[in-house]
Amino acid sequence: MAISKQQKAVIHVAKSQLHLADDEYRAMLDRAAGVSSSIQLDDAGFDKVMAEFERRGFRRPRKREQDVRREGMPTPKQLGRIRALW
């Protein structure tokens, strides 16, 4: 199964932050996961590519507190509305 749009976005952010040229990026995809394009990656290949990016110094961005969804709890926007009504 192909990777998600979010996973593709993370790969391209890492490529950009590491200043990889297209040929270097594609060679790394081939070495790490045996593919020539991120479109061909599956979840296992994604993990291998991300491990290689992290080995080269990329750090995945941490989720901001407002982005974390807690089951059964209001979102930050909803909390703001509740406070305004209170």
Side-chain angles (χ1 to χ4, degrees):
M1 186 171 156
I3 61 174
S4 70
K5 289 180 183 180
Q6 291 84 7
Q7 288 171 310
K8 288 178 194 173
V10 169
I11 286 173
H12 289 283
V13 166
K15 175 189 172 195
S16 176
Q17 286 184 4
L18 294 173
H19 306 288
L20 297 177
D22 194 57
D23 57 335
E24 185 180 7
Y25 163 72
R26 293 194 185 282
M28 191 274 305
L29 285 176
D30 186 46
R31 276 193 316 274
V35 299
S36 60
S37 171
S38 63
I39 294 171
Q40 300 169 318
L41 287 171
D42 58 9
D43 285 332
F46 173 79
D47 291 339
K48 291 175 184 175
V49 168
M50 291 310 300
E52 177 64 18
F53 280 142
E54 290 169 359
R55 187 186 69 71
R56 291 175 173 227
F58 176 71
R59 296 292 173 248
R60 294 184 196 201
R62 294 184 181 190
K63 288 186 177 182
R64 294 179 293 188
E65 186 175 326
Q66 67 188 24
D67 293 340
V68 176
R69 187 66 202 257
R70 297 166 294 162
E71 190 64 38
M73 300 299 289
T75 65
K77 186 174 180 179
Q78 290 169 332
L79 283 173
R81 179 71 176 148
I82 292 167
R83 284 187 186 110
L85 291 171
W86 185 30

